[in-house]
Amino acid sequence: NTYREYIFEWINTNSTEDGQNLYFNASDDGSNYDVPKVSSSWWLKHDGGTTAFESKTSSFGKEGATIAQLLQWGIGNVALDGEGASGRLVLYDPAGTTYVKSWISRGNEYTSANYSIDTTIQGYYNTTSALTGIRFTMDAGNVNKGTFKMYGVL
């Protein structure tokens, strides 16, 4: 790893299946994506109608879990124009070997249930080992369309 900070973006992304969730996980050995993490989250949703905004601290946080971290959920697919997800994940000092690896994610999705969700999820990988890989996945199906970008910041 060359940079102290990495920024990952997903833009207008959706799955071949409707209502899928987007996850990420990290590897510290290049092949197993199971680094323990601690995280918390909150989200805000609105259905575009008369329903007021709804804000919640969610149960999507992880405490020492090795399973993939949920970033966005219920993402709509191509069947309805405009459904999909966009967001950004910032990972701090993944190559460092002194401290845990902090990260924060912010995204917005237009869901298969026809409402918008603004999601913030933050946490850390509970390891002082260098991270060697990041993987983004969906529940089922493949990413149907969208752009994934990665930037390194000195």
Side-chain angles (χ1 to χ4, degrees):
N1 294 329
T2 305
Y3 301 100
R4 301 254 314 147
E5 182 177 306
Y6 284 87
I7 299 170
F8 300 89
E9 294 180 337
W10 53 98
I11 303 158
N12 297 324
T13 303
N14 61 35
S15 174
T16 54
E17 304 288 329
D18 200 26
Q20 297 305 299
N21 301 326
L22 178 66
Y23 299 88
F24 91 105
N25 215 343
S27 175
D28 59 3
D29 65 8
S31 59
N32 297 304
Y33 288 81
D34 60 358
V35 179
K37 71 195 69 54
V38 175
S39 65
S40 63
S41 63
W42 63 269
W43 52 272
L44 177 70
K45 82 172 187 178
H46 192 267
D47 66 6
T50 57
T51 304
F53 284 95
E54 178 181 354
S55 176
K56 292 189 178 180
T57 301
S58 71
S59 60
F60 300 135
K62 306 288 182 207
E63 183 68 38
T66 59
I67 61 173
Q69 174 66 52
L70 178 65
L71 291 175
Q72 295 186 280
W73 71 96
I75 300 168
N77 72 355
V78 167
L80 296 174
D81 224 10
E83 289 185 351
S86 295
R88 170 181 275 206
L89 168 72
V90 181
L91 176 62
Y92 300 97
D93 200 18
T97 56
T98 304
Y99 303 106
V100 298
K101 314 300 176 269
S102 297
W103 54 269
I104 186 166
S105 172
R106 177 92 189 258
N108 186 274
E109 62 263 27
Y110 187 70
T111 71
S112 59
N114 298 321
Y115 51 83
S116 176
I117 300 177
D118 179 9
T119 307
T120 301
I121 302 175
Q122 60 281 323
Y124 61 91
Y125 280 101
N126 197 13
T127 183
T128 55
S129 298
L131 299 181
T132 58
I134 297 291
R135 178 184 292 169
F136 291 88
T137 58
M138 295 263 187
D139 280 325
N142 295 314
V143 172
N144 184 48
K145 73 174 187 175
T147 303
F148 282 80
K149 294 183 178 184
M150 180 180 81
Y151 307 93
V153 180
L154 294 175

